[in-house]
Amino acid sequence: MHTASTHTTPAAVAGTAPRIHLVIGPVGAGKSTFVRQLVQQHRAVPLNLDDWMATLFSPDRPDTADMADVMAWYVPRTLRCLAQIWKTAEAVLDAGNDVVLEVGLIQQHQRDAFYARMGPWADTMVVYVLDAPRDVRRERVLRRNAEQGETFSMVVPPHIFELASDLWQPPGDVECAERTVVFVPMAER
């Protein structure tokens, strides 16, 4: 006799499934600081898109204020990094460890595409949403650019901060109903 099954991982069957901790929010919301807490709390492996982009592509970044040129350069590199980050995350998960992903995904369609690629791992994911008022975030980014401390990976120019802030789409009702979503209060960061 055969029983119906769903696609799952061996660890999930054993009840010890590693988890994906996806941290999202606009620029300067406190994501990198919060990620450090999650990594320690869950003994997880952090994977950060900004670190990958800075290491692999910052020296080649166009020096132009023309946003069309910047975006034409940025988008394909981001997509390639996201694909490789996901492959790395799957390897970490398959090895039985949690991952903390800080990979942008500031727009709903970006998150939907990322969720679609997760397969059976989607059920192990918690999405943490961080936000703060724009003026608070702007000040944080200016300070981080100047200090280049522990959470610094690249300079965020003012026009990029404003563009990314305008693009931010917090999770809506449907995303919250379909996922485990935690809105992190500012006091917890």
Side-chain angles (χ1 to χ4, degrees):
M1 178 175 161
H2 294 282
T3 59
S5 67
T6 59
H7 296 283
T8 190
T9 63
V13 172
T16 60
R19 300 193 65 82
I20 299 166
H21 306 272
L22 175 64
V23 179
I24 63 171
V27 175
K31 297 181 301 294
S32 296
T33 300
F34 184 71
V35 162
R36 289 170 159 268
Q37 295 170 6
L38 286 176
V39 165
Q40 242 183 354
Q41 179 181 353
H42 297 281
R43 300 180 50 100
V45 175
L47 296 170
N48 178 309
L49 175 64
D50 287 348
D51 289 345
W52 285 52
M53 290 292 290
T55 299
L56 296 173
F57 302 119
S58 274
D60 308 322
R61 184 175 171 178
D63 188 21
T64 177
D66 183 352
M67 287 311 298
D69 288 346
V70 172
M71 294 309 287
W73 177 88
Y74 180 80
V75 170
R77 286 162 180 79
T78 297
L79 294 175
R80 290 194 308 263
C81 279
L82 284 172
Q84 190 60 39
I85 287 170
W86 178 245
K87 284 174 65 175
T88 303
E90 281 188 302
V92 171
L93 293 162
D94 286 339
N97 298 300
D98 284 16
V99 293
V100 179
L101 302 175
E102 184 183 353
V103 292
L105 308 179
I106 61 173
Q107 294 182 295
Q108 183 65 57
H109 72 90
Q110 296 167 333
R111 292 192 299 274
D112 289 342
F114 199 76
Y115 297 154
R117 130 182 338 166
M118 292 180 145
W121 292 110
D123 293 336
T124 72
M125 180 180 59
V126 177
V127 179
Y128 300 88
V129 182
L130 286 80
D131 204 346
R134 188 181 283 224
D135 59 329
V136 170
R137 295 186 295 101
R138 186 181 295 110
E139 178 58 35
R140 288 177 180 171
V141 169
L142 290 171
R143 188 171 49 249
R144 184 175 63 204
N145 284 347
E147 294 173 359
Q148 298 187 8
E150 290 181 349
T151 62
F152 177 82
S153 58
M154 67 179 78
V155 169
V156 178
H159 67 282
I160 298 294
F161 171 84
E162 298 301 338
L163 172 68
S165 294
D166 290 343
L167 292 174
W168 165 238
Q169 296 173 331
D173 293 340
V174 172
E175 186 174 5
C176 290
E178 294 175 349
R179 311 271 173 231
T180 302
V181 176
V182 177
F183 289 84
V184 180
M186 279 185 60
E188 293 184 19
R189 300 180 241 153

